[in-house]
PDB file of all heavy atoms in Angstrom:
ATOM      1  N   ALA A 196     -20.955  15.261  -0.912  1.00  0.00           N
ATOM      2  CA  ALA A 196     -21.924  15.317   0.185  1.00  0.00           C
ATOM      3  C   ALA A 196     -22.381  16.738   0.494  1.00  0.00           C
ATOM      4  O   ALA A 196     -23.439  16.930   1.104  1.00  0.00           O
ATOM      5  CB  ALA A 196     -21.323  14.689   1.440  1.00  0.00           C
ATOM      6  N   ASN A 197     -21.589  17.749   0.080  1.00  0.00           N
ATOM      7  CA  ASN A 197     -21.916  19.151   0.352  1.00  0.00           C
ATOM      8  C   ASN A 197     -21.775  19.970  -0.933  1.00  0.00           C
ATOM      9  O   ASN A 197     -20.900  20.836  -1.035  1.00  0.00           O
ATOM     10  CB  ASN A 197     -20.989  19.714   1.433  1.00  0.00           C
ATOM     11  CG  ASN A 197     -21.026  18.916   2.715  1.00  0.00           C
ATOM     12  OD1 ASN A 197     -21.866  19.136   3.570  1.00  0.00           O
ATOM     13  ND2 ASN A 197     -20.105  17.964   2.847  1.00  0.00           N
ATOM     14  N   PRO A 198     -22.630  19.731  -1.933  1.00  0.00           N
ATOM     15  CA  PRO A 198     -22.413  20.330  -3.256  1.00  0.00           C
ATOM     16  C   PRO A 198     -22.883  21.776  -3.388  1.00  0.00           C
ATOM     17  O   PRO A 198     -22.506  22.445  -4.342  1.00  0.00           O
ATOM     18  CB  PRO A 198     -23.220  19.422  -4.181  1.00  0.00           C
ATOM     19  CG  PRO A 198     -24.332  18.909  -3.307  1.00  0.00           C
ATOM     20  CD  PRO A 198     -23.747  18.762  -1.937  1.00  0.00           C
ATOM     21  N   THR A 199     -23.721  22.277  -2.463  1.00  0.00           N
ATOM     22  CA  THR A 199     -24.155  23.663  -2.597  1.00  0.00           C
ATOM     23  C   THR A 199     -23.120  24.580  -1.978  1.00  0.00           C
ATOM     24  O   THR A 199     -22.337  24.178  -1.112  1.00  0.00           O
ATOM     25  CB  THR A 199     -25.519  23.901  -1.927  1.00  0.00           C
ATOM     26  OG1 THR A 199     -25.374  23.810  -0.502  1.00  0.00           O
ATOM     27  CG2 THR A 199     -26.546  22.893  -2.413  1.00  0.00           C
ATOM     28  N   LEU A 200     -23.145  25.839  -2.390  1.00  0.00           N
ATOM     29  CA  LEU A 200     -22.155  26.785  -1.884  1.00  0.00           C
ATOM     30  C   LEU A 200     -22.282  26.959  -0.377  1.00  0.00           C
ATOM     31  O   LEU A 200     -21.277  27.026   0.339  1.00  0.00           O
ATOM     32  CB  LEU A 200     -22.315  28.132  -2.593  1.00  0.00           C
ATOM     33  CG  LEU A 200     -21.211  29.146  -2.275  1.00  0.00           C
ATOM     34  CD1 LEU A 200     -20.733  29.854  -3.520  1.00  0.00           C
ATOM     35  CD2 LEU A 200     -21.708  30.174  -1.259  1.00  0.00           C
ATOM     36  N   ALA A 201     -23.508  27.021   0.141  1.00  0.00           N
ATOM     37  CA  ALA A 201     -23.705  27.191   1.583  1.00  0.00           C
ATOM     38  C   ALA A 201     -23.163  25.996   2.358  1.00  0.00           C
ATOM     39  O   ALA A 201     -22.529  26.149   3.408  1.00  0.00           O
ATOM     40  CB  ALA A 201     -25.189  27.385   1.882  1.00  0.00           C
ATOM     41  N   GLN A 202     -23.406  24.791   1.858  1.00  0.00           N
ATOM     42  CA  GLN A 202     -22.917  23.593   2.532  1.00  0.00           C
ATOM     43  C   GLN A 202     -21.394  23.542   2.525  1.00  0.00           C
ATOM     44  O   GLN A 202     -20.758  23.232   3.545  1.00  0.00           O
ATOM     45  CB  GLN A 202     -23.482  22.345   1.849  1.00  0.00           C
ATOM     46  CG  GLN A 202     -24.975  22.153   2.024  1.00  0.00           C
ATOM     47  CD  GLN A 202     -25.518  21.015   1.178  1.00  0.00           C
ATOM     48  OE1 GLN A 202     -24.976  20.695   0.113  1.00  0.00           O
ATOM     49  NE2 GLN A 202     -26.591  20.392   1.640  1.00  0.00           N
ATOM     50  N   LEU A 203     -20.810  23.855   1.375  1.00  0.00           N
ATOM     51  CA  LEU A 203     -19.351  23.803   1.270  1.00  0.00           C
ATOM     52  C   LEU A 203     -18.705  24.885   2.132  1.00  0.00           C
ATOM     53  O   LEU A 203     -17.659  24.667   2.749  1.00  0.00           O
ATOM     54  CB  LEU A 203     -18.940  23.970  -0.197  1.00  0.00           C
ATOM     55  CG  LEU A 203     -17.559  23.422  -0.580  1.00  0.00           C
ATOM     56  CD1 LEU A 203     -17.485  21.927  -0.303  1.00  0.00           C
ATOM     57  CD2 LEU A 203     -17.262  23.686  -2.046  1.00  0.00           C
ATOM     58  N   ALA A 204     -19.330  26.054   2.197  1.00  0.00           N
ATOM     59  CA  ALA A 204     -18.807  27.133   3.037  1.00  0.00           C
ATOM     60  C   ALA A 204     -18.837  26.737   4.509  1.00  0.00           C
ATOM     61  O   ALA A 204     -17.910  27.047   5.264  1.00  0.00           O
ATOM     62  CB  ALA A 204     -19.610  28.405   2.810  1.00  0.00           C
ATOM     63  N   ALA A 205     -19.893  26.055   4.929  1.00  0.00           N
ATOM     64  CA  ALA A 205     -19.976  25.594   6.318  1.00  0.00           C
ATOM     65  C   ALA A 205     -18.855  24.611   6.626  1.00  0.00           C
ATOM     66  O   ALA A 205     -18.266  24.634   7.719  1.00  0.00           O
ATOM     67  CB  ALA A 205     -21.339  24.945   6.572  1.00  0.00           C
ATOM     68  N   LEU A 206     -18.540  23.747   5.668  1.00  0.00           N
ATOM     69  CA  LEU A 206     -17.447  22.791   5.843  1.00  0.00           C
ATOM     70  C   LEU A 206     -16.109  23.517   5.929  1.00  0.00           C
ATOM     71  O   LEU A 206     -15.258  23.172   6.763  1.00  0.00           O
ATOM     72  CB  LEU A 206     -17.442  21.802   4.677  1.00  0.00           C
ATOM     73  CG  LEU A 206     -16.462  20.631   4.772  1.00  0.00           C
ATOM     74  CD1 LEU A 206     -16.805  19.752   5.958  1.00  0.00           C
ATOM     75  CD2 LEU A 206     -16.491  19.809   3.487  1.00  0.00           C
ATOM     76  N   VAL A 207     -15.923  24.529   5.090  1.00  0.00           N
ATOM     77  CA  VAL A 207     -14.680  25.303   5.115  1.00  0.00           C
ATOM     78  C   VAL A 207     -14.535  26.026   6.452  1.00  0.00           C
ATOM     79  O   VAL A 207     -13.451  26.053   7.039  1.00  0.00           O
ATOM     80  CB  VAL A 207     -14.653  26.312   3.946  1.00  0.00           C
ATOM     81  CG1 VAL A 207     -13.494  27.292   4.115  1.00  0.00           C
ATOM     82  CG2 VAL A 207     -14.520  25.576   2.615  1.00  0.00           C
ATOM     83  N   ARG A 208     -15.622  26.596   6.951  1.00  0.00           N
ATOM     84  CA  ARG A 208     -15.566  27.278   8.248  1.00  0.00           C
ATOM     85  C   ARG A 208     -15.183  26.316   9.358  1.00  0.00           C
ATOM     86  O   ARG A 208     -14.381  26.634  10.234  1.00  0.00           O
ATOM     87  CB  ARG A 208     -16.917  27.926   8.570  1.00  0.00           C
ATOM     88  CG  ARG A 208     -17.189  29.215   7.825  1.00  0.00           C
ATOM     89  CD  ARG A 208     -18.383  29.952   8.413  1.00  0.00           C
ATOM     90  NE  ARG A 208     -19.627  29.190   8.267  1.00  0.00           N
ATOM     91  CZ  ARG A 208     -20.441  29.268   7.225  1.00  0.00           C
ATOM     92  NH1 ARG A 208     -20.154  30.087   6.228  1.00  0.00           N
ATOM     93  NH2 ARG A 208     -21.542  28.555   7.172  1.00  0.00           N
ATOM     94  N   ALA A 209     -15.759  25.110   9.332  1.00  0.00           N
ATOM     95  CA  ALA A 209     -15.456  24.116  10.365  1.00  0.00           C
ATOM     96  C   ALA A 209     -14.023  23.619  10.264  1.00  0.00           C
ATOM     97  O   ALA A 209     -13.399  23.281  11.265  1.00  0.00           O
ATOM     98  CB  ALA A 209     -16.432  22.940  10.250  1.00  0.00           C
ATOM     99  N   ARG A 210     -13.512  23.582   9.029  1.00  0.00           N
ATOM    100  CA  ARG A 210     -12.164  23.052   8.803  1.00  0.00           C
ATOM    101  C   ARG A 210     -11.095  24.107   8.972  1.00  0.00           C
ATOM    102  O   ARG A 210      -9.924  23.787   9.172  1.00  0.00           O
ATOM    103  CB  ARG A 210     -12.111  22.481   7.378  1.00  0.00           C
ATOM    104  CG  ARG A 210     -10.824  21.795   6.977  1.00  0.00           C
ATOM    105  CD  ARG A 210     -10.574  20.509   7.717  1.00  0.00           C
ATOM    106  NE  ARG A 210     -11.701  19.608   7.678  1.00  0.00           N
ATOM    107  CZ  ARG A 210     -12.091  18.928   6.603  1.00  0.00           C
ATOM    108  NH1 ARG A 210     -11.461  19.062   5.469  1.00  0.00           N
ATOM    109  NH2 ARG A 210     -13.121  18.122   6.671  1.00  0.00           N
ATOM    110  N   HIS A 211     -11.440  25.371   8.924  1.00  0.00           N
ATOM    111  CA  HIS A 211     -10.460  26.448   8.934  1.00  0.00           C
ATOM    112  C   HIS A 211      -9.594  26.367  10.188  1.00  0.00           C
ATOM    113  O   HIS A 211     -10.075  26.280  11.299  1.00  0.00           O
ATOM    114  CB  HIS A 211     -11.128  27.814   8.887  1.00  0.00           C
ATOM    115  CG  HIS A 211     -10.158  28.946   8.680  1.00  0.00           C
ATOM    116  ND1 HIS A 211      -9.500  29.140   7.495  1.00  0.00           N
ATOM    117  CD2 HIS A 211      -9.714  29.908   9.523  1.00  0.00           C
ATOM    118  CE1 HIS A 211      -8.707  30.188   7.607  1.00  0.00           C
ATOM    119  NE2 HIS A 211      -8.818  30.671   8.833  1.00  0.00           N
ATOM    120  N   GLY A 212      -8.276  26.384   9.957  1.00  0.00           N
ATOM    121  CA  GLY A 212      -7.333  26.324  11.068  1.00  0.00           C
ATOM    122  C   GLY A 212      -6.898  24.919  11.411  1.00  0.00           C
ATOM    123  O   GLY A 212      -5.975  24.730  12.198  1.00  0.00           O
ATOM    124  N   ALA A 213      -7.568  23.901  10.827  1.00  0.00           N
ATOM    125  CA  ALA A 213      -7.144  22.525  11.094  1.00  0.00           C
ATOM    126  C   ALA A 213      -5.881  22.208  10.326  1.00  0.00           C
ATOM    127  O   ALA A 213      -5.540  22.861   9.351  1.00  0.00           O
ATOM    128  CB  ALA A 213      -8.268  21.547  10.685  1.00  0.00           C
ATOM    129  N   VAL A 214      -5.146  21.175  10.773  1.00  0.00           N
ATOM    130  CA  VAL A 214      -3.933  20.745  10.071  1.00  0.00           C
ATOM    131  C   VAL A 214      -4.339  20.222   8.702  1.00  0.00           C
ATOM    132  O   VAL A 214      -5.241  19.394   8.576  1.00  0.00           O
ATOM    133  CB  VAL A 214      -3.219  19.638  10.866  1.00  0.00           C
ATOM    134  CG1 VAL A 214      -1.986  19.164  10.120  1.00  0.00           C
ATOM    135  CG2 VAL A 214      -2.828  20.167  12.245  1.00  0.00           C
ATOM    136  N   LEU A 215      -3.654  20.702   7.660  1.00  0.00           N
ATOM    137  CA  LEU A 215      -4.058  20.351   6.303  1.00  0.00           C
ATOM    138  C   LEU A 215      -4.013  18.849   6.072  1.00  0.00           C
ATOM    139  O   LEU A 215      -4.825  18.290   5.360  1.00  0.00           O
ATOM    140  CB  LEU A 215      -3.146  21.063   5.292  1.00  0.00           C
ATOM    141  CG  LEU A 215      -3.299  22.583   5.233  1.00  0.00           C
ATOM    142  CD1 LEU A 215      -2.407  23.147   4.142  1.00  0.00           C
ATOM    143  CD2 LEU A 215      -4.731  22.992   4.992  1.00  0.00           C
ATOM    144  N   GLY A 216      -3.055  18.171   6.672  1.00  0.00           N
ATOM    145  CA  GLY A 216      -2.938  16.729   6.450  1.00  0.00           C
ATOM    146  C   GLY A 216      -4.156  15.965   6.913  1.00  0.00           C
ATOM    147  O   GLY A 216      -4.456  14.896   6.409  1.00  0.00           O
ATOM    148  N   ASP A 217      -4.889  16.512   7.908  1.00  0.00           N
ATOM    149  CA  ASP A 217      -6.077  15.827   8.402  1.00  0.00           C
ATOM    150  C   ASP A 217      -7.208  15.848   7.384  1.00  0.00           C
ATOM    151  O   ASP A 217      -8.155  15.097   7.496  1.00  0.00           O
ATOM    152  CB  ASP A 217      -6.570  16.491   9.694  1.00  0.00           C
ATOM    153  CG  ASP A 217      -5.593  16.279  10.842  1.00  0.00           C
ATOM    154  OD1 ASP A 217      -4.805  15.335  10.737  1.00  0.00           O
ATOM    155  OD2 ASP A 217      -5.622  17.058  11.803  1.00  0.00           O
ATOM    156  N   ALA A 218      -7.131  16.740   6.385  1.00  0.00           N
ATOM    157  CA  ALA A 218      -8.231  16.878   5.423  1.00  0.00           C
ATOM    158  C   ALA A 218      -7.758  16.667   3.997  1.00  0.00           C
ATOM    159  O   ALA A 218      -8.315  17.179   3.073  1.00  0.00           O
ATOM    160  CB  ALA A 218      -8.846  18.270   5.553  1.00  0.00           C
ATOM    161  N   ALA A 219      -6.667  15.910   3.826  1.00  0.00           N
ATOM    162  CA  ALA A 219      -6.138  15.667   2.491  1.00  0.00           C
ATOM    163  C   ALA A 219      -7.202  14.995   1.639  1.00  0.00           C
ATOM    164  O   ALA A 219      -8.004  14.200   2.144  1.00  0.00           O
ATOM    165  CB  ALA A 219      -4.893  14.786   2.561  1.00  0.00           C
ATOM    166  N   PRO A 220      -7.281  15.301   0.299  1.00  0.00           N
ATOM    167  CA  PRO A 220      -8.343  14.756  -0.542  1.00  0.00           C
ATOM    168  C   PRO A 220      -8.456  13.251  -0.499  1.00  0.00           C
ATOM    169  O   PRO A 220      -9.531  12.701  -0.629  1.00  0.00           O
ATOM    170  CB  PRO A 220      -7.944  15.253  -1.940  1.00  0.00           C
ATOM    171  CG  PRO A 220      -7.160  16.489  -1.691  1.00  0.00           C
ATOM    172  CD  PRO A 220      -6.422  16.249  -0.415  1.00  0.00           C
ATOM    173  N   PHE A 221      -7.355  12.543  -0.296  1.00  0.00           N
ATOM    174  CA  PHE A 221      -7.408  11.093  -0.309  1.00  0.00           C
ATOM    175  C   PHE A 221      -7.167  10.511   1.082  1.00  0.00           C
ATOM    176  O   PHE A 221      -6.763   9.377   1.232  1.00  0.00           O
ATOM    177  CB  PHE A 221      -6.385  10.542  -1.311  1.00  0.00           C
ATOM    178  CG  PHE A 221      -6.645  11.019  -2.696  1.00  0.00           C
ATOM    179  CD1 PHE A 221      -5.884  12.033  -3.254  1.00  0.00           C
ATOM    180  CD2 PHE A 221      -7.685  10.501  -3.438  1.00  0.00           C
ATOM    181  CE1 PHE A 221      -6.145  12.496  -4.533  1.00  0.00           C
ATOM    182  CE2 PHE A 221      -7.952  10.959  -4.718  1.00  0.00           C
ATOM    183  CZ  PHE A 221      -7.183  11.956  -5.264  1.00  0.00           C
ATOM    184  N   GLY A 222      -7.404  11.333   2.114  1.00  0.00           N
ATOM    185  CA  GLY A 222      -7.278  10.823   3.464  1.00  0.00           C
ATOM    186  C   GLY A 222      -5.867  10.972   4.002  1.00  0.00           C
ATOM    187  O   GLY A 222      -4.928  11.301   3.290  1.00  0.00           O
ATOM    188  N   ARG A 223      -5.725  10.711   5.275  1.00  0.00           N
ATOM    189  CA  ARG A 223      -4.448  10.859   5.956  1.00  0.00           C
ATOM    190  C   ARG A 223      -3.797   9.503   6.121  1.00  0.00           C
ATOM    191  O   ARG A 223      -4.454   8.518   6.450  1.00  0.00           O
ATOM    192  CB  ARG A 223      -4.676  11.508   7.321  1.00  0.00           C
ATOM    193  CG  ARG A 223      -3.407  11.882   8.048  1.00  0.00           C
ATOM    194  CD  ARG A 223      -3.762  12.444   9.421  1.00  0.00           C
ATOM    195  NE  ARG A 223      -2.578  12.808  10.167  1.00  0.00           N
ATOM    196  CZ  ARG A 223      -2.592  13.094  11.452  1.00  0.00           C
ATOM    197  NH1 ARG A 223      -3.721  13.065  12.125  1.00  0.00           N
ATOM    198  NH2 ARG A 223      -1.482  13.423  12.081  1.00  0.00           N
ATOM    199  N   ILE A 224      -2.486   9.405   5.914  1.00  0.00           N
ATOM    200  CA  ILE A 224      -1.755   8.155   6.097  1.00  0.00           C
ATOM    201  C   ILE A 224      -1.339   8.056   7.555  1.00  0.00           C
ATOM    202  O   ILE A 224      -0.621   8.912   8.063  1.00  0.00           O
ATOM    203  CB  ILE A 224      -0.525   8.096   5.174  1.00  0.00           C
ATOM    204  CG1 ILE A 224      -0.978   8.155   3.706  1.00  0.00           C
ATOM    205  CG2 ILE A 224       0.280   6.832   5.427  1.00  0.00           C
ATOM    206  CD1 ILE A 224       0.163   8.177   2.727  1.00  0.00           C
ATOM    207  N   ILE A 225      -1.812   7.029   8.229  1.00  0.00           N
ATOM    208  CA  ILE A 225      -1.533   6.840   9.635  1.00  0.00           C
ATOM    209  C   ILE A 225      -0.474   5.756   9.799  1.00  0.00           C
ATOM    210  O   ILE A 225      -0.573   4.676   9.200  1.00  0.00           O
ATOM    211  CB  ILE A 225      -2.807   6.426  10.406  1.00  0.00           C
ATOM    212  CG1 ILE A 225      -3.935   7.430  10.141  1.00  0.00           C
ATOM    213  CG2 ILE A 225      -2.517   6.305  11.895  1.00  0.00           C
ATOM    214  CD1 ILE A 225      -3.643   8.821  10.635  1.00  0.00           C
ATOM    215  N   ALA A 226       0.550   6.024  10.617  1.00  0.00           N
ATOM    216  CA  ALA A 226       1.581   5.025  10.865  1.00  0.00           C
ATOM    217  C   ALA A 226       0.969   3.821  11.577  1.00  0.00           C
ATOM    218  O   ALA A 226       0.205   3.962  12.521  1.00  0.00           O
ATOM    219  CB  ALA A 226       2.698   5.632  11.705  1.00  0.00           C
ATOM    220  N   GLN A 227       1.303   2.624  11.094  1.00  0.00           N
ATOM    221  CA  GLN A 227       0.795   1.400  11.687  1.00  0.00           C
ATOM    222  C   GLN A 227       1.501   1.147  13.014  1.00  0.00           C
ATOM    223  O   GLN A 227       2.734   1.136  13.077  1.00  0.00           O
ATOM    224  CB  GLN A 227       1.021   0.215  10.737  1.00  0.00           C
ATOM    225  CG  GLN A 227       0.649  -1.130  11.324  1.00  0.00           C
ATOM    226  CD  GLN A 227      -0.844  -1.275  11.511  1.00  0.00           C
ATOM    227  OE1 GLN A 227      -1.603  -0.960  10.614  1.00  0.00           O
ATOM    228  NE2 GLN A 227      -1.278  -1.734  12.667  1.00  0.00           N
ATOM    229  N   GLN A 228       0.725   0.968  14.053  1.00  0.00           N
ATOM    230  CA  GLN A 228       1.296   0.636  15.353  1.00  0.00           C
ATOM    231  C   GLN A 228       1.348  -0.888  15.467  1.00  0.00           C
ATOM    232  O   GLN A 228       0.340  -1.541  15.720  1.00  0.00           O
ATOM    233  CB  GLN A 228       0.452   1.240  16.481  1.00  0.00           C
ATOM    234  CG  GLN A 228       0.320   2.754  16.416  1.00  0.00           C
ATOM    235  CD  GLN A 228       1.668   3.446  16.496  1.00  0.00           C
ATOM    236  OE1 GLN A 228       2.544   3.047  17.254  1.00  0.00           O
ATOM    237  NE2 GLN A 228       1.833   4.504  15.706  1.00  0.00           N
ATOM    238  N   ALA A 229       2.529  -1.437  15.241  1.00  0.00           N
ATOM    239  CA  ALA A 229       2.682  -2.894  15.219  1.00  0.00           C
ATOM    240  C   ALA A 229       2.671  -3.442  16.641  1.00  0.00           C
ATOM    241  O   ALA A 229       3.563  -3.163  17.434  1.00  0.00           O
ATOM    242  CB  ALA A 229       3.974  -3.272  14.506  1.00  0.00           C
ATOM    243  N   ALA A 230       1.651  -4.241  16.958  1.00  0.00           N
ATOM    244  CA  ALA A 230       1.575  -4.876  18.267  1.00  0.00           C
ATOM    245  C   ALA A 230       2.119  -6.294  18.217  1.00  0.00           C
ATOM    246  O   ALA A 230       2.157  -6.988  19.218  1.00  0.00           O
ATOM    247  CB  ALA A 230       0.128  -4.880  18.750  1.00  0.00           C
ATOM    248  N   GLY A 231       2.554  -6.739  17.078  1.00  0.00           N
ATOM    249  CA  GLY A 231       3.057  -8.095  16.908  1.00  0.00           C
ATOM    250  C   GLY A 231       3.240  -8.380  15.440  1.00  0.00           C
ATOM    251  O   GLY A 231       3.163  -7.474  14.604  1.00  0.00           O
ATOM    252  N   PRO A 232       3.491  -9.628  15.058  1.00  0.00           N
ATOM    253  CA  PRO A 232       3.644  -9.976  13.645  1.00  0.00           C
ATOM    254  C   PRO A 232       2.412  -9.593  12.844  1.00  0.00           C
ATOM    255  O   PRO A 232       1.283  -9.732  13.304  1.00  0.00           O
ATOM    256  CB  PRO A 232       3.841 -11.500  13.690  1.00  0.00           C
ATOM    257  CG  PRO A 232       4.362 -11.787  15.064  1.00  0.00           C
ATOM    258  CD  PRO A 232       3.684 -10.782  15.957  1.00  0.00           C
ATOM    259  N   LEU A 233       2.642  -9.084  11.625  1.00  0.00           N
ATOM    260  CA  LEU A 233       1.555  -8.642  10.758  1.00  0.00           C
ATOM    261  C   LEU A 233       1.522  -9.503   9.499  1.00  0.00           C
ATOM    262  O   LEU A 233       2.572  -9.965   9.025  1.00  0.00           O
ATOM    263  CB  LEU A 233       1.767  -7.175  10.366  1.00  0.00           C
ATOM    264  CG  LEU A 233       1.856  -6.174  11.518  1.00  0.00           C
ATOM    265  CD1 LEU A 233       2.291  -4.812  11.003  1.00  0.00           C
ATOM    266  CD2 LEU A 233       0.515  -6.069  12.224  1.00  0.00           C
ATOM    267  N   PRO A 234       0.347  -9.734   8.912  1.00  0.00           N
ATOM    268  CA  PRO A 234       0.282 -10.507   7.671  1.00  0.00           C
ATOM    269  C   PRO A 234       0.956  -9.765   6.528  1.00  0.00           C
ATOM    270  O   PRO A 234       1.046  -8.536   6.528  1.00  0.00           O
ATOM    271  CB  PRO A 234      -1.223 -10.666   7.435  1.00  0.00           C
ATOM    272  CG  PRO A 234      -1.837  -9.518   8.177  1.00  0.00           C
ATOM    273  CD  PRO A 234      -0.981  -9.290   9.375  1.00  0.00           C
ATOM    274  N   LEU A 235       1.435 -10.502   5.542  1.00  0.00           N
ATOM    275  CA  LEU A 235       2.073  -9.897   4.384  1.00  0.00           C
ATOM    276  C   LEU A 235       1.023  -9.312   3.457  1.00  0.00           C
ATOM    277  O   LEU A 235      -0.089  -9.816   3.355  1.00  0.00           O
ATOM    278  CB  LEU A 235       2.896 -10.938   3.616  1.00  0.00           C
ATOM    279  CG  LEU A 235       4.007 -11.675   4.354  1.00  0.00           C
ATOM    280  CD1 LEU A 235       4.816 -12.503   3.374  1.00  0.00           C
ATOM    281  CD2 LEU A 235       4.897 -10.724   5.112  1.00  0.00           C
ATOM    282  N   SER A 236       1.396  -8.250   2.748  1.00  0.00           N
ATOM    283  CA  SER A 236       0.544  -7.729   1.691  1.00  0.00           C
ATOM    284  C   SER A 236       0.618  -8.679   0.503  1.00  0.00           C
ATOM    285  O   SER A 236       1.465  -9.585   0.460  1.00  0.00           O
ATOM    286  CB  SER A 236       1.010  -6.329   1.274  1.00  0.00           C
ATOM    287  OG  SER A 236       2.282  -6.421   0.639  1.00  0.00           O
ATOM    288  N   CYS A 237      -0.248  -8.454  -0.485  1.00  0.00           N
ATOM    289  CA  CYS A 237      -0.233  -9.331  -1.671  1.00  0.00           C
ATOM    290  C   CYS A 237       1.124  -9.276  -2.374  1.00  0.00           C
ATOM    291  O   CYS A 237       1.662 -10.309  -2.787  1.00  0.00           O
ATOM    292  CB  CYS A 237      -1.352  -8.918  -2.621  1.00  0.00           C
ATOM    293  SG  CYS A 237      -3.015  -9.233  -1.993  1.00  0.00           S
ATOM    294  N   ALA A 238       1.686  -8.063  -2.516  1.00  0.00           N
ATOM    295  CA  ALA A 238       2.986  -7.928  -3.178  1.00  0.00           C
ATOM    296  C   ALA A 238       4.082  -8.621  -2.377  1.00  0.00           C
ATOM    297  O   ALA A 238       4.970  -9.286  -2.939  1.00  0.00           O
ATOM    298  CB  ALA A 238       3.314  -6.450  -3.368  1.00  0.00           C
ATOM    299  N   GLN A 239       4.031  -8.501  -1.043  1.00  0.00           N
ATOM    300  CA  GLN A 239       5.030  -9.159  -0.211  1.00  0.00           C
ATOM    301  C   GLN A 239       4.921 -10.675  -0.300  1.00  0.00           C
ATOM    302  O   GLN A 239       5.932 -11.384  -0.301  1.00  0.00           O
ATOM    303  CB  GLN A 239       4.882  -8.695   1.240  1.00  0.00           C
ATOM    304  CG  GLN A 239       5.306  -7.253   1.464  1.00  0.00           C
ATOM    305  CD  GLN A 239       4.966  -6.760   2.856  1.00  0.00           C
ATOM    306  OE1 GLN A 239       4.041  -7.271   3.496  1.00  0.00           O
ATOM    307  NE2 GLN A 239       5.698  -5.765   3.329  1.00  0.00           N
ATOM    308  N   GLN A 240       3.696 -11.167  -0.386  1.00  0.00           N
ATOM    309  CA  GLN A 240       3.516 -12.620  -0.525  1.00  0.00           C
ATOM    310  C   GLN A 240       4.148 -13.129  -1.814  1.00  0.00           C
ATOM    311  O   GLN A 240       4.770 -14.195  -1.844  1.00  0.00           O
ATOM    312  CB  GLN A 240       2.023 -12.959  -0.505  1.00  0.00           C
ATOM    313  CG  GLN A 240       1.356 -12.763   0.853  1.00  0.00           C
ATOM    314  CD  GLN A 240      -0.127 -13.104   0.805  1.00  0.00           C
ATOM    315  OE1 GLN A 240      -0.543 -13.986   0.057  1.00  0.00           O
ATOM    316  NE2 GLN A 240      -0.915 -12.398   1.589  1.00  0.00           N
ATOM    317  N   GLN A 241       3.998 -12.361  -2.897  1.00  0.00           N
ATOM    318  CA  GLN A 241       4.598 -12.766  -4.167  1.00  0.00           C
ATOM    319  C   GLN A 241       6.118 -12.823  -4.058  1.00  0.00           C
ATOM    320  O   GLN A 241       6.758 -13.789  -4.501  1.00  0.00           O
ATOM    321  CB  GLN A 241       4.184 -11.797  -5.265  1.00  0.00           C
ATOM    322  CG  GLN A 241       2.689 -11.794  -5.564  1.00  0.00           C
ATOM    323  CD  GLN A 241       2.301 -10.715  -6.562  1.00  0.00           C
ATOM    324  OE1 GLN A 241       3.111 -10.336  -7.394  1.00  0.00           O
ATOM    325  NE2 GLN A 241       1.088 -10.209  -6.465  1.00  0.00           N
TER     326      GLN A 241
END
């Protein structure tokens, strides 16, 4: 989405100082807040 050097630099400036986990290449893993019974995953169903 930001392939030019100027665009990428602007993103780096905005991100500088943020927690690295918030900007991990494949996203951040968020703990599931269980409010009750949850459906099984496909592997769990098997």
Side-chain angles (χ1 to χ4, degrees):
N197 304 274
T199 70
L200 188 136
Q202 292 172 332
L203 203 60
L206 187 63
V207 169
R208 283 193 296 271
R210 184 68 51 72
H211 189 70
V214 178
L215 292 183
D217 292 339
F221 300 103
R223 188 183 179 192
I224 299 177
I225 306 297
Q227 174 69 47
Q228 301 300 320
L233 302 171
L235 302 188
S236 68
C237 292
Q239 290 172 335
Q240 290 180 32
Q241 296 174 28

